[in-house]
Amino acid sequence: MRVATTRGTRGVWTRIRRGTGGELSAEFLGTFTLILLGCGSVAVAVAGLPGSGRQEGAFGAANWLIVSWGWGLAVAFGVYVAGGVSGAHINPAVTFAWALRRRFPWSKVVPYWFAQTLGAFAAAALVFAVYRPAIVAYDQAQGIAARPESLSTFSIFATYPAEYFAGGVVGPLLDQVVGTAILVGLIAALIDNRNQAPGANVAPFVIGLVVMVIGLSYGSNAGYAINPARDLGPRLLTWLAGWGELAFPGSYDHFAHYWWIPIVGPLVGGAVGVLVYDLFIGQVLITRQTPESEPTPEPGVVPGSTETDTEPDGQRGSDQQDSPP
């Protein structure tokens, strides 16, 4: 009986791992890796180095390089961790965008979102456990008596808008829409084998560079969450850990009720990014996939022009499927 029960249990787990359960497991660990390294890099810049005795002088704006590189590499390794199982969305905006373009089943959208957010929360909890002494020391050095007053240490985990928005909603929301549109549109380009997708399995690294350049280009506006799970999971952790209204409803001196913007903005931006790519590039590539009896034009050559293609018929356009990274 015990042998039969053991075999039955193993069979259940095997079926789970082979199906959606395995994909959710990968999304959990991929997002966990993303947040563990990303929030870890912010912890180094904000509280780790200043209190460690390893930093003789303040890095100032150079700390942004630590943060940008940290998040970029965090995304790259998160994609490498989960890519072979789930496609490594590790971002609800990517999952939503791929469902919109009919490359991903709607029935899996909410389960993916849950796994991504849970992975982000778990990783944030581990970062908090590791860097708690540094956070406490930082608050003491700054004369901060209560955690809800510590916007800097809150920023280790979740995002907030710049002071120059003066509490406005439109600016931060637009920032999240644009930043995520750039991210998802470029991911669509980088994994599109009909286009010039990077080879030799370097796409995850290049996608990480996309996140890094978004941080360098747009990060100061609102912390470039560009990922609902990346903000919501750690934000839940900060709420439980005592940051109070900084987490929910997301209020401080120069902003109020901010918590929903890093969720709604990226979802809208992801949809915009993938639709723009498909409209301007994806549909063009489909149109240029001419029948095998006609040569496929070289990039930049209009079909039907007098220039001829030098490759054998049908060679360019083979294996032209794209999938999430």
Side-chain angles (χ1 to χ4, degrees):
M1 291 294 293
R2 290 182 179 178
V3 173
T5 301
T6 302
R7 288 177 178 174
T9 302
R10 289 177 180 174
V12 170
W13 281 110
T14 298
R15 289 193 295 272
I16 291 174
R17 288 167 179 152
R18 285 179 176 172
T20 303
E23 297 171 20
L24 300 182
S25 175
E27 285 297 300
F28 172 89
L29 189 58
T31 313
F32 182 93
T33 302
L34 161 64
I35 300 303
L36 187 68
L37 299 177
C39 286
S41 71
V42 185
V44 166
V46 171
L49 282 175
S52 67
R54 294 180 174 84
Q55 178 177 295
E56 295 182 1
F59 282 11
N63 278 336
W64 200 249
L65 294 177
I66 297 176
V67 173
S68 296
W69 272 103
W71 279 111
L73 292 174
V75 168
F77 289 121
V79 174
Y80 276 122
V81 164
V85 177
S86 66
H89 296 188
I90 62 175
N91 184 339
V94 173
T95 302
F96 181 61
W98 260 246
L100 279 179
R101 71 196 306 225
R102 298 185 229 180
R103 302 296 177 90
F104 187 76
W106 283 103
S107 61
K108 293 184 180 181
V109 168
V110 172
Y112 263 54
W113 286 359
F114 179 78
Q116 292 155 357
T117 304
L118 185 61
F121 175 86
L126 184 54
V127 172
F128 177 68
V130 171
Y131 278 101
R132 186 175 182 277
I135 291 171
V136 171
Y138 177 89
D139 286 343
Q140 290 175 347
Q142 299 296 317
I144 298 174
R147 194 164 284 166
E149 300 172 7
S150 184
L151 183 61
S152 295
T153 55
F154 171 79
S155 72
I156 292 173
F157 302 98
T159 63
Y160 65 90
E163 292 185 17
Y164 46 72
F165 288 121
V169 170
V170 175
L173 184 61
L174 178 62
D175 171 80
Q176 288 299 289
V177 171
V178 171
T180 314
I182 294 171
L183 172 66
V184 175
L186 289 180
I187 289 175
L190 289 169
I191 65 172
D192 191 344
N193 291 327
R194 302 165 305 185
N195 205 337
Q196 298 190 42
N201 199 28
V202 300
F205 180 74
V206 180
I207 291 171
L209 292 180
V210 170
V211 172
M212 187 186 75
V213 77
I214 292 172
L216 294 174
S217 303
Y218 292 92
S220 65
N221 279 332
Y224 73 111
I226 58 176
N227 180 336
R230 171 265 174 276
D231 191 85
L232 180 59
R235 187 178 292 272
L236 288 168
L237 182 278
T238 59
W239 181 69
L240 293 173
W243 271 271
E245 290 189 356
L246 273 174
F248 291 100
S251 298
Y252 195 65
D253 292 343
H254 61 276
F255 60 90
H257 297 87
Y258 183 76
W259 70 272
W260 61 273
I261 292 178
I263 297 174
V264 174
L267 291 176
V268 174
V272 171
V274 79
L275 291 175
V276 167
Y277 176 79
D278 284 343
L279 176 63
F280 285 88
I281 300 296
Q283 294 301 318
V284 173
L285 291 169
I286 291 174
T287 302
R288 292 168 69 89
Q289 287 180 324
T290 53
E292 293 185 0
S293 59
E294 300 178 22
T296 302
E298 290 281 359
V301 177
V302 178
S305 68
T306 56
E307 299 184 53
T308 59
D309 187 57
T310 58
E311 293 187 358
D313 291 349
Q315 178 174 333
R316 185 187 305 273
S318 61
D319 190 25
Q320 295 181 338
Q321 298 178 350
D322 63 6
S323 60

